Amino acid sequence: MKTAITPTRAENFSEWYQNLIIAADLAENAPVRGCMTIKPYGWAIWELMRDQMDKRIKAAGVQNANFPLLIPIAYFNREAEHVAGFAKEAAVVTHYRLKMIDGVLQPDPDAKLTDAYVIRPTSETIIGEAMSRWVQSWRDLPMKLNQWVNVMRWEMRPRMFLRTSEFNWQEGHNVFATHEEANADAKKMHKMYADYMRDVLAAPVVAGEKTPEERFAGADHTYTVEQIMQDGKALQAGTSHDLGQHFAKSFDIKYLGTDGKLQYAWTTSWGTSTRMMGGLFMIHSDDDGLVLPPVIAPYQIVIIPIVREENTDALNKYAEDLGEKLRELDLRVLVDTSDMRAPDKMWKWIKRGVPLRVEIGSREMENGTVTITRRDLGKESKQTVSVDELLKIAPDLMKQMQREMYERALARQNAQIHDVETLADLEHALERGTTGFFRIKYDLTLNAEFDGLIEKYKISRRCLDANDPSFVYVAKSY
RNA sequence: CGGAGUAUAGCUCAGUCUGGUAGAGCGCUACGUUCGGGACGUAGAGGUCGUAGGUUCGAAUCCUGUUACUCCGACCA
């Protein structure tokens, strides 16, 4: 059986992934190294993801704002761990004017900035500076801010969506009066991410706290949601940090308490990025292309009229009318009346992962029936139903597909988690080529022998087991 | 930042060794036959061969410089 994407997942997973992105028309590599152009279809998915996330962020009492792209270098210097974490991947703006010199446009040597700016790799510092002025009294707390922006981290090994030099994300930054509140909020946003991925992306997660070795630069606690891709590798899909008082002290975020004492506040930050899209694609898609959960599918249903010359107009109109009826049920519907051959249209939308395909031939137009095929189940799911039946079941069918996609993904994830008792067991498993997450006593990983395994098998500690933090999950990762 | 490679049509690449004035497949356009899991025929459009210089009667091809990108390693949402 010929597949739309070659090579297949089994043959070469990372090449399959690259070709999937091209075939589904999601994005392409940009002329600028490490950057990608997200194409309209890919961006439509991101917009739906973003809107769903934004609702949840606002429901958590957070306000959106927008801070500058450029950050004074000196700001980074104020938090020692933080600067160490980002210094080696910072892009720096040094000039403010171009000049034609010898016929070549270049930065004007006479327009050098005395204080250069860093293009934000993350905004803890500049938001911290603002918060130091905005937070005065206990009445100002908690203060919860979020922004949807692009950031830049100069990456040596970019991969589309998973790791690009520029990426889009949301970064939330909250301030609290007490550590208890701050830590509870970091955990709350962490749970929000896990729920979001389950309900919106139909993607299960392994949620837990990062070990000290893997923590965010400048955080006391980092809570992560890790996903397991179909090839068994881990993807860090979102993190929420309890920053303690590191940034409050570095940026002088202080408030006057009810007791009349001036004291440092406690901050958190939490983020998810377009990387989530990479995870979404690698969790659900198959050898024929993208498979999208209905909640974030730009088109949930595509209607393809199988036209012949003599009935083109009538059938197209009939299909448009059906599309309109489905739209009245709050479904996103595309009626593809473009001038392409029917099989080409089908493959186009199969590759783009549209959840439900509806085909209408001329006889079906007369009979009042349609042929429907679920993308997640493939052509085996093809069946003929009446138009009335379709209109009746379509909204529930979307919910059902969403649920079943999650259940299948969860089953795959569970099959990729292995308990190991000893480092020897771990090494045997890795040696045999076993993929996935390995659950092992955290204590067993704090030695040179484990460091050797990290080096040899390119594994890392993903997070502690939330149910029993004496265990840690270990895996190869993206 | 180390190691290796590539640069020729929108895309993937051949042509370079042995210098003689530009090719294939896919895609695109038109017409015809087609159209329910990837169609075929015919006719077309499309490239100063990354860039600057040199050698030569003549350079995609040889020489020198330069720039960009890709892959593999160390780092990472």
Side-chain angles (χ1 to χ4, degrees), chain A residues 33-279:
Chain A
R33 189 199 147 72
C35 295
M36 66 174 173
T37 303
I38 302 179
K39 299 183 74 175
Y41 192 66
W43 191 256
I45 296 170
W46 176 242
E47 284 183 330
L48 287 159
M49 289 170 64
R50 195 187 57 190
D51 291 348
Q52 294 285 331
M53 174 79 80
D54 200 55
K55 273 185 206 165
R56 291 168 190 244
I57 288 172
K58 284 174 178 146
V62 181
Q63 292 181 293
N64 281 338
N66 199 283
F67 290 83
L69 172 68
L70 302 181
I71 300 177
I73 288 179
Y75 283 25
F76 282 86
N77 227 355
R78 293 200 209 169
E79 217 294 325
E81 288 181 57
H82 192 64
V83 70
F86 287 101
K88 55 191 174 298
E89 49 192 11
V92 186
V93 176
T94 55
H95 292 75
Y96 58 88
R97 192 164 62 210
L98 290 173
K99 191 177 181 184
M100 193 70 82
I101 302 172
D102 297 332
V104 182
L105 207 53
Q106 48 192 284
D108 185 344
D110 296 329
K112 200 167 189 313
L113 290 163
T114 44
D115 293 313
Y117 295 109
V118 175
I119 299 177
R120 64 181 161 221
T122 179
S123 303
E124 272 78 5
T125 60
I126 198 156
I127 293 180
E129 187 280 332
M131 283 173 160
S132 72
R133 288 178 287 108
W134 297 351
V135 173
Q136 299 287 330
S137 143
W138 64 274
R139 292 179 210 276
D140 297 323
L141 300 177
M143 181 178 287
K144 302 182 182 182
L145 303 174
N146 176 67
Q147 63 176 357
W148 288 95
V149 295
N150 54 346
V151 293
M152 176 155 275
R153 299 177 189 179
W154 211 261
E155 293 293 347
M156 294 293 112
R157 292 287 305 281
R159 304 192 52 164
M160 283 206 273
F161 291 104
L162 302 176
R163 184 178 303 109
T164 47
S165 290
E166 180 192 13
F167 58 94
N168 289 270
W169 76 342
Q170 59 73 210
E171 50 176 322
H173 299 268
N174 297 354
V175 201
F176 300 89
T178 66
H179 193 202
E180 290 68 37
E181 284 177 89
N183 186 262
D185 195 71
K187 287 176 175 168
K188 174 180 159 182
M189 298 321 279
H190 179 233
K191 181 175 186 303
M192 186 274 280
Y193 285 155
D195 292 346
Y196 167 88
M197 288 173 202
R198 181 192 63 218
D199 298 339
V200 176
L201 307 184
V205 297
V206 175
E209 181 170 356
K210 284 282 185 192
T211 62
E213 302 79 23
E214 306 289 336
R215 241 177 236 154
F216 178 70
D220 279 357
H221 300 277
T222 289
Y223 304 99
T224 180
V225 283
E226 302 282 324
Q227 296 177 328
I228 307 181
M229 304 296 106
Q230 288 186 58
D231 64 350
K233 286 166 94 172
L235 185 77
Q236 180 174 311
T239 48
S240 179
H241 314 288
D242 171 355
L243 300 172
Q245 289 185 314
H246 296 238
F247 287 89
K249 286 181 174 166
S250 301
F251 288 90
D252 207 35
I253 306 172
K254 285 186 285 200
Y255 70 96
L256 201 57
T258 50
D259 55 3
K261 285 184 184 162
L262 195 58
Q263 53 205 290
Y264 287 112
W266 301 78
T267 65
T268 67
S269 69
W270 33 282
T272 54
S273 71
T274 39
R275 171 182 274 187
M276 271 193 300
M277 297 176 76

Side-chain angles (χ1 to χ4, degrees), chain A residues 280-295:
Chain A
L280 176 78
F281 305 150
M282 286 197 290
I283 286 172
H284 296 302
S285 300
D286 64 23
D287 296 335
D288 281 332
L290 208 58
V291 181
L292 289 171
V295 172

Side-chain angles (χ1 to χ4, degrees), chain A residues 351-468:
Chain A
K351 286 187 285 192
R352 284 165 172 71
V354 175
L356 190 70
R357 185 170 82 244
V358 176
E359 297 163 29
I360 310 173
S362 57
R363 196 165 304 130
E364 284 177 318
M365 175 166 64
E366 290 159 22
N367 295 344
T369 61
V370 293
T371 300
I372 62 175
T373 312
R374 278 173 60 166
R375 177 64 184 87
D376 60 328
L377 300 180
K379 68 176 177 179
E380 305 305 320
S381 68
K382 184 182 272 197
Q383 57 172 306
T384 301
V385 298
S386 70
V387 168
D388 292 342
E389 177 73 1
L390 174 64
L391 290 168
K392 197 170 112 196
I393 66 170
D396 284 340
L397 188 55
M398 293 298 133
K399 293 190 183 79
Q400 186 186 342
M401 290 173 70
Q402 184 85 19
R403 190 171 61 244
E404 290 180 12
M405 282 182 69
Y406 174 75
E407 284 163 4
R408 282 195 300 273
L410 181 62
R412 279 198 301 271
Q413 172 173 294
N414 289 336
Q416 289 273 27
I417 298 176
H418 320 287
D419 281 293
V420 287
E421 301 280 328
T422 65
L423 286 184
D425 289 349
L426 175 60
E427 175 150 29
H428 289 151
L430 290 165
E431 196 59 51
R432 280 197 307 273
T434 308
T435 61
F437 279 36
F438 300 93
R439 185 173 173 273
I440 190 169
K441 277 283 183 187
Y442 176 52
D443 289 348
L444 291 176
T445 70
L446 298 174
N447 51 59
E449 189 186 350
F450 182 77
D451 292 343
L453 294 182
I454 286 180
E455 186 71 24
K456 185 170 175 189
Y457 296 100
K458 308 295 174 200
I459 53 171
S460 56
R461 300 177 188 87
R462 302 317 304 164
C463 65
L464 297 170
D465 183 343
N467 296 318
D468 183 350

